[in-house]
């Protein structure tokens, strides 16, 4: 009889438990329901259905040849998926920067941007981007060169996906004009002595409108590309003056003789430029290496471009699917061959035959991969995450004589205690 009472009481207890508040969910940890049961990360929208096929727009910072190549790869994606993706040039010069930021903040810009990695964090801090690794179903960067990711990370999230890299290299004639062997100076003092011995001809030749070329020149002269010191800046100004004089002399010579050309007259001991501008060139008697001094061996000057997803997009799943496609191994290999830049995936550097097997690959691409597998590239922003535009303008104005060295150095962000 007592045993029956126990069973009766136990049945009453079970009925009581079943009538408790539904907040006691015993199955919560066994299966995650669709988005909505957990708070979304900053600026993140709930995931859209995978059937979303666009249309979406991709704004890119590419030259005409690169734009044509990316459109060809995009055509393949659209054929395979049925999605509608439009690729358009993206103008983000200083005069258009404010309008671009306003457009992005108002939700009128492209769904995806491809731009210089130095600009990604600034866009994220202005609330213009979605995290690419927050709720997209993938964790990007597992096989990407480790040094490329920190500059894209902020507030606990990753805001961009690296697409390609272009390390800056130097080339020089193995023999001088008189046939004597030429050896690149290997210390600041050696550079100063070389400048003193060659007071007329330029020592370094590079595009003074290119902030990366400027940073590489600083690096080569044993300076810090992020915050060059006064001595290095003075050397670059003197060198630039010689370049300008040589260019003027070459122009005058062209007027008097049709056989003379600027390239014949303006000759520098060392030429600095992006890997992509040399990757398809073969020249006898020309040596090359990464444009680096010994003072900052862990921070090469490398231009990196990354994809990012706009905060206003209503097709984040499709956007991330497109980015994942474009950063896959097959597309990385094809893009590198077409554009002349280098891939961001470590595996593609295991064998030079994955892309090309020329001397420039062994002397520049492989060393860049080794450095970037564990170190970040030089940050050209004066210590300010939003300072890349300032760095770019200041370098050009300094070389043109529009600002002094002192005014240039006043732009550096003070080191925080």
């Amino acid at each position: 009889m007592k045993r029956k009472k126990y069973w009766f009481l136990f049945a009453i207890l079970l009925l009581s438990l079943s009538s408790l508040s539904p907040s006691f969910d015993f199955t919560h940890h066994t299966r995650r329901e669709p988005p909505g049961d957990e708070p979304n990360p900053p600026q993140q929208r709930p995931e859209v259905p995978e059937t979303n096929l666009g249309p979406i727009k991709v704004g890119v910072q590419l030259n005409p040849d690169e734009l044509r190549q990316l459109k060809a790869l995009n055509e393949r994606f659209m054929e395979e998926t049925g999605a509608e993706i439009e690729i358009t040039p993206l103008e983000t010069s200083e005069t258009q920067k404010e309008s671009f930021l306003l457009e992005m903040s108002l939700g009128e810009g492209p769904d995806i941007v491809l731009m210089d990695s130095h600009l990604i964090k600034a866009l994220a801090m202005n609330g213009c981007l979605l995290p690419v690794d927050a709720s997209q179903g993938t964790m990007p960067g597992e096989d990407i060169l480790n040094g490329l990711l920190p500059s894209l990370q902020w507030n606990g999230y990753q805001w961009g996906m690296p697409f390609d890299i272009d390390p800056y290299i130097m080339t020089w004639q193995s023999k001088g004009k008189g046939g004597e062997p030429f050896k690149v100076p290997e210390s600041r003092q050696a550079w100063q002595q070389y400048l003193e011995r060659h007071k007329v001809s330029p020592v370094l030749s590079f595009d003074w409108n290119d902030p990366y070329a400027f940073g590489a020149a600083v690096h080569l002269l044993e300076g810090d590309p992020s915050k060059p010191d006064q001595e290095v800046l003075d050397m670059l100004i003197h060198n630039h003056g010689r370049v300008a004089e040589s260019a003027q002399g070459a122009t005058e010579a062209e007027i008097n003789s049709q056989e003379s050309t600027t390239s014949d007259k303006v000759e520098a001991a060392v030429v600095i430029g992006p890997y992509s501008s040399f990757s398809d060139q073969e020249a006898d008697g020309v040596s090359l290496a990464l444009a680096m001094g010994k003072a900052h061996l862990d921070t090469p000057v490398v231009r990196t471009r990354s994809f990012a997803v706009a905060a206003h997009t209503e097709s984040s799943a499709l956007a991330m699917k497109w980015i994942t496609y474009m950063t896959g191994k097959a597309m990385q290999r094809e893009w590198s061959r077409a554009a002349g830049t280098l891939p961001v995936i470590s595996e593609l550097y295991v064998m030079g035959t994955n892309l090309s097997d020329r001397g420039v690959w062994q002397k520049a691409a492989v060393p860049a991969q080794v450095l970037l597998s564990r170190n970040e590239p030089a940050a050209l922003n004066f210590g300010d995450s939003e300072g890349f535009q300032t760095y770019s303008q200041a370098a050009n104005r300094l070389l043109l004589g529009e600002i002094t060295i002192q005014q240039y150095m006043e732009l550096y962000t003070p080191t925080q205690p």
Side-chain angles (χ1 to χ4, degrees), residues 315-336:
S315 304
S316 59
L318 177 59
M320 196 59 206
K321 183 177 182 179
W322 186 86
I323 291 175
T324 302
Y325 181 89
M326 291 299 169
T327 54
K329 293 175 184 177
M331 292 299 101
Q332 282 277 291
R333 187 180 291 110
E334 288 199 35
W335 175 256
S336 295

Side-chain angles (χ1 to χ4, degrees), residues 214-216 218-219 223-228 296 299 301 378-380 382 391 408:
F214 178 86
V218 171
H219 201 310
D224 181 354
S226 300
K227 299 180 179 181
H296 301 276
T299 55
V301 175
L380 309 184
F382 293 148
Y391 185 100
Y408 180 93

Side-chain angles (χ1 to χ4, degrees), residues 335-351:
W335 175 256
S336 295
R337 284 173 174 164
T341 55
L342 297 176
V344 299
I345 297 178
S346 301
E347 183 180 326
L348 297 181
Y349 290 87
V350 175
M351 294 180 62

Side-chain angles (χ1 to χ4, degrees), residues 208 236-237 240-241 244 393-405 407:
W208 56 78
L236 287 176
I237 289 176
H240 182 71
Q393 291 181 355
N396 184 256
R397 295 184 65 196
L398 176 71
L399 294 178
L400 293 177
E402 297 178 1
I403 59 175
T404 64
I405 291 178
Q407 290 173 319

Side-chain angles (χ1 to χ4, degrees), residues 19-63:
S19 65
L20 289 175
S21 171
S23 62
F24 289 88
D25 182 5
F26 295 100
T27 64
H28 177 74
H29 297 291
T30 60
R31 180 177 181 272
R32 189 181 186 280
E33 297 298 321
D37 63 334
E38 293 181 6
N40 290 320
Q43 301 296 325
Q44 179 68 42
R45 296 176 183 273
E47 194 61 85
V48 296
E50 292 186 4
T51 54
N52 188 330
L53 297 177
I56 63 174
K57 289 187 177 182
V58 182
V60 299
Q61 286 183 322
L62 299 173
N63 64 43

Side-chain angles (χ1 to χ4, degrees), residues 366-385:
V366 173
Q369 180 265 335
V370 171
L371 288 170
L372 294 174
S373 64
R374 57 178 184 272
N375 304 301
E376 297 181 51
L380 309 184
N381 56 18
F382 293 148
D384 180 0
S385 59

Side-chain angles (χ1 to χ4, degrees), residues 268-327:
V270 177
V271 177
I272 295 175
Y275 174 93
S276 58
S277 66
F278 298 102
S279 60
D280 60 349
Q281 297 181 15
E282 291 278 2
D284 294 333
V286 175
S287 299
L288 59 92
L290 289 178
M292 298 180 65
K294 295 183 178 179
H296 301 276
L297 283 175
D298 290 340
T299 55
V301 175
V302 177
R303 184 193 65 170
T304 308
R305 290 182 293 201
S306 296
F307 289 115
V309 181
H312 61 259
T313 185
E314 296 181 355
S315 304
S316 59
L318 177 59
M320 196 59 206
K321 183 177 182 179
W322 186 86
I323 291 175
T324 302
Y325 181 89
M326 291 299 169
T327 54

Side-chain angles (χ1 to χ4, degrees), residues 58-372:
V58 182
V60 299
Q61 286 183 322
L62 299 173
N63 64 43
D65 288 338
E66 292 173 329
L67 181 61
R68 191 161 46 250
Q69 295 293 339
L70 188 63
K71 284 185 175 181
L73 298 181
N74 182 53
E75 288 292 334
R76 192 182 309 176
F77 175 84
M78 291 193 293
E79 290 177 3
E80 294 179 9
T81 63
E84 185 178 348
I85 315 291
E86 179 185 359
I87 298 179
T88 59
L90 185 64
E91 299 293 342
T92 56
S93 63
E94 185 60 26
T95 57
Q96 298 166 319
K97 179 182 177 183
E98 294 302 323
S99 61
F100 171 71
L101 287 173
L102 178 61
E103 184 181 43
M104 292 290 286
S105 62
L106 293 176
E108 299 174 354
D111 301 89
I112 302 171
V113 293
L114 170 61
M115 58 174 48
D116 193 295
S117 294
H118 271 98
L119 303 174
I120 298 297
K121 186 179 291 187
L123 286 176
M125 295 174 70
N126 280 281
C128 297
L129 303 179
L130 293 179
V132 299
D133 61 347
S135 62
Q136 306 291 350
T138 61
M139 283 295 291
E142 293 180 0
D143 194 33
I144 290 177
L145 295 170
N146 293 331
L148 303 179
L149 300 179
S151 63
L152 301 173
Q153 296 167 344
W154 172 72
N155 201 29
Y157 296 99
Q158 182 176 316
W159 301 88
M161 177 76 95
F163 178 54
D164 67 358
I165 63 175
D166 209 357
Y168 275 64
I169 68 177
M170 58 180 176
T171 65
W172 66 95
Q173 294 289 335
S174 303
K175 293 184 179 180
K177 294 180 180 179
E180 71 283 359
F182 173 76
K183 186 178 181 181
V184 176
E186 296 184 353
S187 68
R188 180 177 297 190
Q189 183 179 5
W191 278 110
Q192 291 172 328
Q193 292 173 350
Y194 190 90
L195 281 165
E196 185 64 25
R197 291 197 306 269
H198 301 79
K199 295 184 177 181
V200 179
S201 61
V203 175
L204 299 177
S205 175
F206 60 90
D207 181 1
W208 56 78
N209 293 308
D210 183 348
Y212 289 95
F214 178 86
V218 171
H219 201 310
L220 187 57
L221 298 178
E222 305 295 343
D224 181 354
S226 300
K227 299 180 179 181
D229 59 85
Q230 182 171 342
E231 191 173 55
V232 166
L233 294 175
D234 187 62
M235 293 168 67
L236 287 176
I237 289 176
H238 280 84
N239 177 79
H240 182 71
R242 299 176 186 181
V243 172
E245 291 176 2
S246 298
Q248 183 179 2
T251 302
E252 293 174 353
E254 285 181 345
I255 296 175
N256 298 323
S257 174
Q258 294 183 358
E259 295 181 359
S260 298
T261 63
T262 301
S263 60
D264 290 335
K265 296 296 180 180
V266 182
E267 294 183 358
V270 177
V271 177
I272 295 175
Y275 174 93
S276 58
S277 66
F278 298 102
S279 60
D280 60 349
Q281 297 181 15
E282 291 278 2
D284 294 333
V286 175
S287 299
L288 59 92
L290 289 178
M292 298 180 65
K294 295 183 178 179
H296 301 276
L297 283 175
D298 290 340
T299 55
V301 175
V302 177
R303 184 193 65 170
T304 308
R305 290 182 293 201
S306 296
F307 289 115
V309 181
H312 61 259
T313 185
E314 296 181 355
S315 304
S316 59
L318 177 59
M320 196 59 206
K321 183 177 182 179
W322 186 86
I323 291 175
T324 302
Y325 181 89
M326 291 299 169
T327 54
K329 293 175 184 177
M331 292 299 101
Q332 282 277 291
R333 187 180 291 110
E334 288 199 35
W335 175 256
S336 295
R337 284 173 174 164
T341 55
L342 297 176
V344 299
I345 297 178
S346 301
E347 183 180 326
L348 297 181
Y349 290 87
V350 175
M351 294 180 62
T353 52
N354 280 334
L355 296 175
S356 61
D357 202 13
R358 295 186 289 269
V360 66
W361 171 262
Q362 297 297 335
K363 295 179 180 178
V366 173
Q369 180 265 335
V370 171
L371 288 170
L372 294 174

